[in-house]
């Protein structure tokens, strides 16, 4: 952000923003700090005028405790956390928060590690934030995932049940994810199903975008409550829009320009991946705008279709991944995640399929039919 | 004799539990167990084989590319698909940067705290720290101001009395031997490496949309289109960005990681005599030089070493691989005592352990979700040490030169490699060699594109209707943690059986039918323990393997018996 905007920002508050000394202590310049707060307002889909409020809240925080539990996981969300950029992971887990338990990162092991968790439960009941990564197996008394001799289910009941709130990161913790894919051998479920009484917000994705986790935490620190969610428990700021509607290739879809074969000229020129199985038309996530790894890219931008990884049960409902969606809602129909229902999908399917066929006929009838079958 | 339990073993991927008998100041026996099971292989049955890579990628988010690579290779092997050279080169770049990033994260963020006492760094003199750092590397950040800044950040953090992820560790343990300055230097680089890794791994985002879990693999090639002139493809701009990131990766490895590794190792030389393990080594080899699929054209060679004998390297025969379940929570229909090859394996999970919560496992009986893979009935260590030893014994020029150089610097002989320290050193040496090798693949790709070759996918067998009714195959990849194999059987365009034999399954395996210990278990025997309430030394040896337990228990070695039965009946 340039100097003028920064000043404007300050002027929007009646009194000038208090110098964030705590941040300067950490070697973070005021300029960078404001930049971060502005980026956060953008990530949270808030007007830029919220940046000073975020700055003030972060300035006053006293490092709330975060515990990060890993159950039936692959540590993909932990790795995503390590790629966090706004702010970086060290600032996030050392300065903004106190990350008191995280198996993959923490120095302590065994009993001493368990003691760290017990300390949080003892001293900070109802105050700490819990992050859960991985699903929780319910079959056979949960013996498919045990830590320190205790089942994941019993740990989740205790730790999520006593947290201020639980953030389920990734699709496994949100909805059961891959362990819950048919035939769900271990009876895996997400946190909300395992501990119905807990306050849970879901940040699905495989893995989640770490920017969305930071934004959720910043939202909590700024407003003292969790962001608003849709019917799947996902915050609207990150899962309120359909990938298809924000997709950089949408104009090619509308124009009927599709990739037909991997590596063809349409593929090289960034045409629509719908016929290669892209699930963007049925997926709600902010990938096209937020992107990944310092905003470097996201699946469609790198030439592969979306697989719908932020949707509950996508492993079963969106696969086979390379098969074209039979019924894409769209074309002037403005839908939100909550409104999309089977009826709507059926109603729009005909129009959509017709569009797909007609546009393809214009280009290559044979390929289209092959892909459809 | 006291039996201790470390559960969770932290700073690893997944859920690992070690039970160990301690007596006379050392480990007398040890049992390695994994207590998590997901059954992904069973989930794969009946699905489209072209989707398998996306499922198997979720075996692990740390080694986030390796199961995709092994999976597409195994489907391609089953269907007889030859991928374009460009796709092979892009895969090499993805594999290479994965190894580099993974190894550096392992060293600083998972392993270093076994050797580095962060709290001791608070007492360090920043000027002396800068002098120490300058004596081993010309890395530009080596200044007193820089180290003072890091120290103050740490102090501010500690003074508030909330150590966060560094709380409750074994700080002050007598086995920590680094002077405060070395501790401060390593701590500074712990933080630096956090920044560095997220930058260099952008190569995965450029080539494959994101990391972790890049979304770009295809049976038959890759999904990133090539076109020097298109904004929507891998173009000149992006190639240049990759070139710069590879240089940045290499610079950090050679100027920070390797000097730190050698400096730290010089204080812990006794660990070159501890933690030997199985003494047998297996590697599938890696980095194909072209798309011919010939094992002799792998840059790092394939091979087996038996009984620490570096005078002979045996070829790898996949028929000699078998998995045992005598101490694992599974049953075989033919009864116990037998190993099954991945194509013939079966899986019936049967938990017979104690009901949770429990204190000890029944280590005389079954005690882990990890199976016990054996090669020619022998336990095998896999990973960087196996790769470096096989290359060394095969006369690989770069490897020999690098290994001999490090051994000379530390003043030890090749026998020192069979140890905890040897494993950790081999990982570093390999990282440096891979970082030096990567530009070769990038420049080859650039040359191909220049000549007009933009092929990234072999489309001949993309359509399942072109496949035979039945097919089977296997795909190998030597992942950062070692030899990885996927085996697939396809019937009627769907997955009939899928099985993965994974690096950490080899290394973390429990005992087999002959009661032979797995590599973790045998490496722990004899490890000195100064304080059994704070078994830091066990962490050192276990972490030297870089455990990845989600990988190890992917896993139901399904044999899809249900489906087979249906067709038989």
């Amino acid at each position: 952000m340039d100097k003028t905007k920064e000043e404007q920002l300050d002027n929007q508050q009646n009194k000038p923003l208090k110098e964030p000394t705590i941040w300067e202590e950490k070697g973070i310049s005021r300029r960078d700090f404001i930049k971060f707060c502005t980026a956060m307002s953008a990530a949270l889909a808030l007007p830029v005028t919220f940046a000073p409020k975020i700055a003030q809240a972060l300035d006053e925080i006293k490092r709330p405790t975060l515990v990060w539990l890993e159950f039936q996981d692959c540590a993909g969300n932990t790795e995503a956390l390590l790629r966090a950029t706004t702010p970086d992971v060290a600032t996030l887990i050392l300065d903004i928060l106190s990350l008191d338990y995280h198996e993959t990162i923490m120095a302590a092991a065994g009993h001493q590690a368990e003691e760290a968790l017990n300390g949080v439960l003892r001293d900070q009941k109802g105050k700490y934030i819990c992050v859960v990564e991985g699903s929780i197996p319910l079959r056979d008394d949960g013996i498919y995932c045990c830590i320190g001799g205790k089942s994941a289910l019993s740990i989740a009941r205790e730790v999520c049940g006593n947290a201020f709130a639980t953030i389920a990161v990734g699709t496994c913790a949100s909805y059961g994810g891959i362990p819950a894919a048919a035939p769900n051998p271990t009876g895996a479920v997400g946190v909300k199903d395992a501990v119905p009484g807990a306050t849970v917000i879901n940040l699905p994705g495989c893995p989640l975008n770490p920017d969305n986790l930071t934004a959720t935490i910043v939202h909590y620190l700024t407003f003292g409550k969790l962001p608003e969610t849709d019917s799947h428990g996902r915050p609207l700021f990150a899962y309120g829009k359909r990938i298809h509607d924000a997709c950089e290739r949408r104009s090619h879809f509308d124009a009927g320009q599709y990739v037909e074969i991997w590596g063809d000229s349409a593929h090289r020129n960034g045409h629509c991946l719908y016929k290669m199985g892209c699930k963007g038309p049925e997926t709600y996530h902010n990938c096209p705008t937020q992107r990944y790894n310092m905003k470097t890219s996201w699946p469609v931008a790198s030439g592969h279709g979306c697989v719908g990884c932020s949707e509950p049960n996508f492993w079963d409902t969106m696969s086979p991944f390379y098969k074209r969606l039979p019924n894409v809602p769209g074309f002037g129909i403005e839908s939100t995640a909550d409104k999309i229902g089977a009826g709507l999908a059926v109603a729009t399917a005909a129009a959509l399929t017709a569009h797909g066929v007609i546009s393809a006929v214009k280009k290559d009838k044979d390929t289209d039919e092959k892909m459809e079958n | 004799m006291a039996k201790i339990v470390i559960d969770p073993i932290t700073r690893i991927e997944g859920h690992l539990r070690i039970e160990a008998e301690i007596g006379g100041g050392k480990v007398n026996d040890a049992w390695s167990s994994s207590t998590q099971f997901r059954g992904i292989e069973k989930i794969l049955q009946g699905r489209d084989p072209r989707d398998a890579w996306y499922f198997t990628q979720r075996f692990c988010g740390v080694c986030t590319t390796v199961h995709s690579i092994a999976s597409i290779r195994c489907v391609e092997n089953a269907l007889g698909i030859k991928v374009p050279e460009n796709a092979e080169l892009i895969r090499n770049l993805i594999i290479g940067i994965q190894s580099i990033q993974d190894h550096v994260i392992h060293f600083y963020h998972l392993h270093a705290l076994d050797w580095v006492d962060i709290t001791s760094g608070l007492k360090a003199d920043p000027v002396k720290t800068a002098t120490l750092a300058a004596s081993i590397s010309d890395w530009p950040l080596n200044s007193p101001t820089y180290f003072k800044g890091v120290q103050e950040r740490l102090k501010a953090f500690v003074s508030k009395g909330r150590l966060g992820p560094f709380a409750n560790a074994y700080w002050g343990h007598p086995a920590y031997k680094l002077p405060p300055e070395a501790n401060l230097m390593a701590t500074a680089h712990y933080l630096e490496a956090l920044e560095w890794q997220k930058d260099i791994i952008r190569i995965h985002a450029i080539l494959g949309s994101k990391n972790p879990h890049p979304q770009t693999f295809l049976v038959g090639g890759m999904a990133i289109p090539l076109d020097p002139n298109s904004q929507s493809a891998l173009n000149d701009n992006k190639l240049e960005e990759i070139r710069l990131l590879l240089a940045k990766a290499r610079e950090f490895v050679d100027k920070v990681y390797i000097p730190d590794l050698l400096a730290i190792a010089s204080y812990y030389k006794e660990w070159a005599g501890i933690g030997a393990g199985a003494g047998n080594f297996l590697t599938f080899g890696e980095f194909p030089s072209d798309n011919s699929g010939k094992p002799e054209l792998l840059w790092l060679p394939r091979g087996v070493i038996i009984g620490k004998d570096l005078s002979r390297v045996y070829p790898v025969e996949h028929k000699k691989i078998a998995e045992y379940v005598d101490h694992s929570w599974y049953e075989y229909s033919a009864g116990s005592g037998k190993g099954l090859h991945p194509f013939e394996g079966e899986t019936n999970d049967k938990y017979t352990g104690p009901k949770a919560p429990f204190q000890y496992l029944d280590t005389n009986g079954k005690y882990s979700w990890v199976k016990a893979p054996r090669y020619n009935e022998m336990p095998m260590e896999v990973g960087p040490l196996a790769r470096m030893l096989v290359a060394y014994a095969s006369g690989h020029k770069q490897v020999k030169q690098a290994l001999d150089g490090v051994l000379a610097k530390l003043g030890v002989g090749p026998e020192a490699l069979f140890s905890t320290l040897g494993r950790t050193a081999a990982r570093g040496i390999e990282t440096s060699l891979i970082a030096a090798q990567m530009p070769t693949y990038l420049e080859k790709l650039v040359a191909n594109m220049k000549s007009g070759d933009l092929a990234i996918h072999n489309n001949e067998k993309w359509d399942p209707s072109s496949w035979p009714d039945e097919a089977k195959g296997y795909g190998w990849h030597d992942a950062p943690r070692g030899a990885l194999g996927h085996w697939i059987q396809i019937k009627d365009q769907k997955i009939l059986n899928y099985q993965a034999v994974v690096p950490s399954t080899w290394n973390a395996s429990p005992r087999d039918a002959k009661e032979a210990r797995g590599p973790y278990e045998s490496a722990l025997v004899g490890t000195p323990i100064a304080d059994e309430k704070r078994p830091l030394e066990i962490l050192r040896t276990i972490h030297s393997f870089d455990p990845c337990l989600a990988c190890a228990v992917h896993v139901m070695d399904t044999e899809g018996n249900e489906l087979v039965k249906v067709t038989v009946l």
Side-chain angles (χ1 to χ4, degrees):
Chain A
M1 181 192 299
D2 62 38
K3 203 81 190 164
T4 345
K5 272 195 193 148
E6 214 175 288
E7 278 160 13
Q8 274 172 4
L9 226 158
D10 282 0
N11 292 339
Q12 281 162 4
Q13 295 287 79
N14 288 335
K15 54 180 185 187
L17 189 67
K18 196 177 71 175
E19 202 62 30
T21 49
I22 182 174
W23 297 92
E24 288 186 331
E25 258 175 42
K26 291 164 192 146
I28 296 164
S29 75
R30 179 177 154 73
R31 190 182 166 82
D32 283 350
F33 180 70
I34 295 293
K35 219 158 125 186
F36 163 64
C37 294
T38 310
M40 274 299 115
S41 348
L44 285 164
L46 295 169
V48 72
T49 47
F50 270 90
K53 187 164 184 192
I54 291 174
Q56 198 182 348
L58 292 184
D59 196 19
E60 288 165 1
I61 54 164
K62 291 172 187 68
R63 286 172 74 211
T65 296
L66 187 107
V67 298
W68 184 300
L69 305 176
E70 290 170 274
F71 296 132
Q72 283 178 305
D73 73 318
C74 74
N77 296 286
T78 292
E79 286 287 331
L81 172 73
L82 295 183
R83 313 287 183 271
T85 45
T86 50
D88 63 274
V89 62
T91 308
L92 192 62
I93 68 171
L94 298 179
D95 302 330
I96 296 184
L97 303 159
S98 183
L99 181 65
D100 287 6
Y101 186 89
H102 189 313
E103 281 183 60
T104 305
I105 295 171
M106 68 195 302
H111 297 305
Q112 284 85 351
E114 294 308 279
E115 184 41 41
L117 185 56
N118 292 335
V120 173
L121 289 170
R122 200 172 47 231
D123 305 333
Q124 306 208 46
K125 201 173 167 181
K127 292 184 203 154
Y128 60 90
I129 301 172
C130 176
V131 170
V132 176
E133 170 171 18
S135 55
I136 298 166
L138 299 183
R139 206 186 101 198
D140 300 332
D141 296 325
I143 47 90
Y144 299 100
C145 183
C146 292
I147 298 148
K150 293 199 262 181
S151 71
L153 180 60
S154 68
I155 297 169
R157 279 190 182 138
E158 190 176 13
V159 184
C160 304
N162 287 304
F164 167 79
T166 297
I167 305 173
V169 293
T171 304
C172 294
S174 297
Y175 312 116
I178 189 168
N184 193 353
T186 62
V189 297
V191 181
K192 191 66 191 170
D193 285 339
V195 191
T199 305
V200 181
I201 189 161
N202 293 325
L203 300 180
C206 197
L208 96 163
N209 189 328
D211 295 346
N212 292 335
L213 174 62
T214 314
T216 302
I217 291 170
V218 167
H219 187 285
Y220 159 64
L221 295 174
T222 308
F223 302 105
K225 58 176 187 180
L226 293 170
E228 277 185 50
T229 57
D230 67 7
S231 62
H232 296 305
R234 305 176 291 193
L236 293 170
F237 74 80
Y239 304 87
K241 279 190 185 160
R242 214 157 53 125
I243 284 191
H244 190 54
D245 296 330
C247 182
E248 62 206 44
R249 299 188 176 194
R250 176 58 187 261
S251 59
H252 293 293
F253 176 86
D254 292 344
Q257 296 173 315
Y258 299 113
V259 177
E260 308 276 355
I261 292 172
W262 300 112
D264 67 5
S265 104
H267 192 213
R268 294 202 300 276
N269 287 299
H271 291 184
C272 177
L273 290 157
Y274 162 61
K275 289 189 179 177
M276 306 311 274
C278 183
K279 304 299 185 289
E282 288 197 351
T283 305
Y284 288 76
H285 206 176
N286 58 356
C287 302
T289 46
Q290 205 60 28
R291 300 162 80 102
Y292 294 84
N293 303 87
M294 306 184 190
K295 296 192 184 285
T296 302
S297 192
W298 67 290
V300 167
S302 289
H304 192 287
C306 162
V307 300
C309 73
S310 59
E311 294 301 318
N313 309 319
F314 80 94
W315 293 100
D316 295 331
T317 58
M318 301 287 192
S319 61
F321 295 133
Y322 300 101
K323 191 151 180 162
R324 171 203 306 196
L325 279 173
N327 40 11
V328 180
F331 284 125
I333 297 170
E334 293 303 319
S335 323
T336 67
D338 290 335
K339 281 188 206 152
I340 285 224
L344 181 59
V346 170
T348 54
L352 218 280
T353 309
H355 173 77
V357 171
I358 292 158
S359 62
V361 165
K362 276 190 278 188
K363 297 168 72 66
D364 180 349
K365 193 166 181 283
D366 294 343
T367 318
D368 179 66
E369 282 170 358
K370 196 167 133 190
M371 293 306 299
E372 192 144 54
N373 294 328
Chain B
M1 200 178 289
K3 194 171 189 187
I4 64 163
V5 176
I6 315 178
D7 181 5
I9 296 275
T10 50
R11 284 181 278 127
I12 63 160
E13 199 300 315
H15 302 291
L16 174 65
R17 171 187 179 98
I18 296 290
E19 296 193 7
E21 269 176 15
I22 313 286
K26 61 184 175 62
V27 176
N28 292 314
D29 209 344
W31 294 267
S32 157
S33 168
S34 178
T35 49
Q36 180 206 327
F37 173 82
R38 289 179 292 170
I40 293 175
E41 284 168 331
K42 194 166 199 172
I43 291 165
L44 277 165
Q45 289 170 8
R47 299 192 188 251
D48 187 334
R50 298 172 302 170
D51 287 357
W53 73 263
Y54 194 90
F55 282 76
T56 59
Q57 186 172 45
R58 273 69 191 169
F59 284 170
C60 183
V62 176
C63 14
T64 171
T65 55
V66 310
H67 294 285
S68 308
I69 296 279
S71 179
I72 49 181
R73 282 180 179 170
C74 99
V75 179
E76 286 157 4
N77 176 268
L79 299 173
I81 298 172
K82 189 172 166 180
V83 306
E85 190 187 39
N86 292 335
E88 204 71 89
L89 291 165
I90 291 171
R91 289 178 188 179
N92 278 352
L93 288 167
I94 287 178
I95 293 169
I97 200 67
Q98 170 74 33
S99 293
I100 295 166
Q101 187 233 23
D102 204 359
H103 285 350
V104 171
I105 288 186
H106 173 261
F107 181 72
Y108 285 104
H109 308 122
L110 306 182
H111 199 17
L113 302 185
D114 302 337
W115 314 97
V116 173
D117 183 339
I118 289 192
T119 57
S120 146
L122 294 172
K123 291 177 277 190
D125 175 350
V127 177
K128 279 191 195 156
T129 307
T131 313
L132 167 71
S135 74
I136 58 171
S137 170
D138 60 355
W139 185 241
L141 281 178
N142 290 335
S143 75
T145 329
Y146 171 68
F147 288 116
K148 192 159 192 294
V150 172
Q151 197 180 38
E152 278 174 1
R153 185 176 184 189
L154 270 185
K155 272 184 187 158
F157 181 63
V158 171
S159 67
K160 292 188 187 109
R162 296 184 56 197
L163 282 169
F166 305 125
N168 279 17
Y170 303 141
W171 309 132
H173 191 287
Y176 281 119
K177 291 193 176 159
L178 296 182
E181 284 71 26
N183 282 316
L184 178 59
M185 178 179 76
T187 305
H189 294 160
Y190 174 107
L191 296 171
E192 247 180 82
L194 269 183
E195 280 295 290
W196 168 88
Q197 55 88 22
K198 73 180 188 207
D199 198 13
I200 59 120
I201 207 60
R202 288 176 55 242
I203 291 177
H204 278 183
I206 296 166
L207 294 172
S209 81
K210 63 192 175 89
N211 171 286
H213 293 336
Q215 192 159 317
T216 184
F217 302 97
L218 293 175
V219 166
M222 297 297 287
I224 176 82
L226 307 180
D227 192 332
N229 303 308
S230 168
Q231 277 187 316
S232 305
L234 185 60
N235 57 24
D236 288 344
N237 258 346
K238 292 173 190 163
L239 289 166
E240 181 58 19
E241 210 176 347
I242 293 172
R243 193 176 283 123
L244 294 174
L245 289 170
L246 286 177
K248 182 174 180 172
R250 189 177 179 192
E251 192 187 19
F252 187 87
V253 167
D254 287 343
K255 293 192 171 180
V256 182
Y257 175 22
I258 300 299
D260 282 359
L261 171 63
L262 293 176
I264 292 171
S266 68
Y267 288 93
Y268 290 106
K269 281 189 197 166
E270 73 276 18
W271 283 86
I274 299 168
N280 308 316
F281 299 89
L282 164 73
T283 171
F284 291 153
E286 197 44 84
F287 299 108
S289 301
D290 64 12
N291 58 349
S292 66
K294 290 181 185 156
E296 62 271 25
L297 291 177
L298 293 167
W299 175 59
L300 292 174
R302 184 174 288 178
V304 173
I305 287 172
I306 307 287
K308 300 183 187 175
D309 177 8
L310 296 181
S311 71
R312 184 136 190 223
V313 176
Y314 298 86
V316 179
E317 299 168 56
H318 89 105
K319 289 192 173 144
K320 289 186 175 171
I321 296 170
E323 289 192 297
Y324 294 80
V325 294
D326 301 83
H327 288 281
S328 315
W329 289 310
Y330 307 91
E331 275 182 338
Y332 282 167
S333 52
S336 55
K338 273 194 183 156
L340 296 179
H341 181 270
F343 274 144
E344 288 134 24
E346 34 181 84
T347 293
N348 305 304
D349 62 305
K350 186 166 169 92
Y351 183 75
T352 53
K355 232 181 136 132
F358 53 82
Q359 204 175 357
Y360 293 107
L361 293 168
D362 172 18
T363 47
N364 290 322
K366 300 192 174 218
Y367 60 89
S368 182
W369 286 116
V370 179
K371 285 181 159 190
R374 297 293 184 259
Y375 183 82
N376 215 7
E377 301 185 14
M378 288 175 286
M380 291 280 147
E381 174 173 344
V382 299
L385 180 58
R387 269 191 298 268
M388 290 298 98
L389 288 174
V390 166
Y392 188 82
S394 309
H396 191 285
K397 222 164 132 189
Q398 293 140 292
V399 172
K400 198 158 168 14
Q401 201 180 0
L403 265 186
D404 284 338
V406 167
L407 293 172
K409 246 184 211 163
L410 293 174
V412 292
E415 70 286 348
L417 292 167
F418 305 110
S419 67
T420 297
L421 193 60
R423 218 166 272 127
T424 299
R427 188 172 292 109
I429 292 163
E430 155 171 293
T431 311
S432 175
L433 292 172
I434 293 174
Q437 177 70 8
M438 280 306 108
T440 317
Y441 304 128
L442 180 68
E443 297 316 326
K444 186 87 205 294
L445 178 65
V446 171
N448 286 355
M449 286 172 66
K450 224 177 219 171
S451 74
D453 173 10
L454 303 179
I456 43 125
H457 188 255
N458 176 349
N459 199 53
E460 283 165 31
K461 292 190 179 161
W462 178 250
D463 186 340
S465 67
S466 66
W467 303 349
D469 293 343
E470 290 186 49
K472 63 180 186 177
Y474 59 93
W476 288 350
H477 167 34
D478 230 62
R481 287 163 188 76
L484 164 64
H486 284 203
W487 279 258
I488 193 170
Q489 288 175 261
I490 300 170
K491 190 170 160 54
D492 299 332
Q493 307 175 6
K494 293 197 165 71
I495 297 172
L496 180 66
N497 298 313
Y498 201 98
Q499 180 157 5
V501 184
V502 175
S504 294
T505 314
W506 287 100
N507 288 339
S509 79
R511 285 151 168 76
D512 57 28
K514 296 193 227 164
E515 299 301 314
R517 293 182 185 90
Y520 290 179
E521 297 175 334
S522 53
L524 284 175
V525 174
T527 297
I529 299 291
D531 174 359
E532 64 186 52
K533 291 208 165 58
R534 300 191 297 161
L536 174 62
E537 300 89 340
I538 287 180
L539 293 186
R540 286 180 176 170
T541 293
I542 290 296
H543 283 151
S544 74
F545 286 94
D546 193 2
C548 197
L549 269 292
C551 279
V553 193
H554 17 288
V555 173
M556 187 138 176
D557 287 277
T558 133
E559 219 18 7
N561 283 327
E562 297 100 336
L563 292 178
V564 175
K565 272 179 204 152
V566 169
T567 54
V568 170
L569 294 172

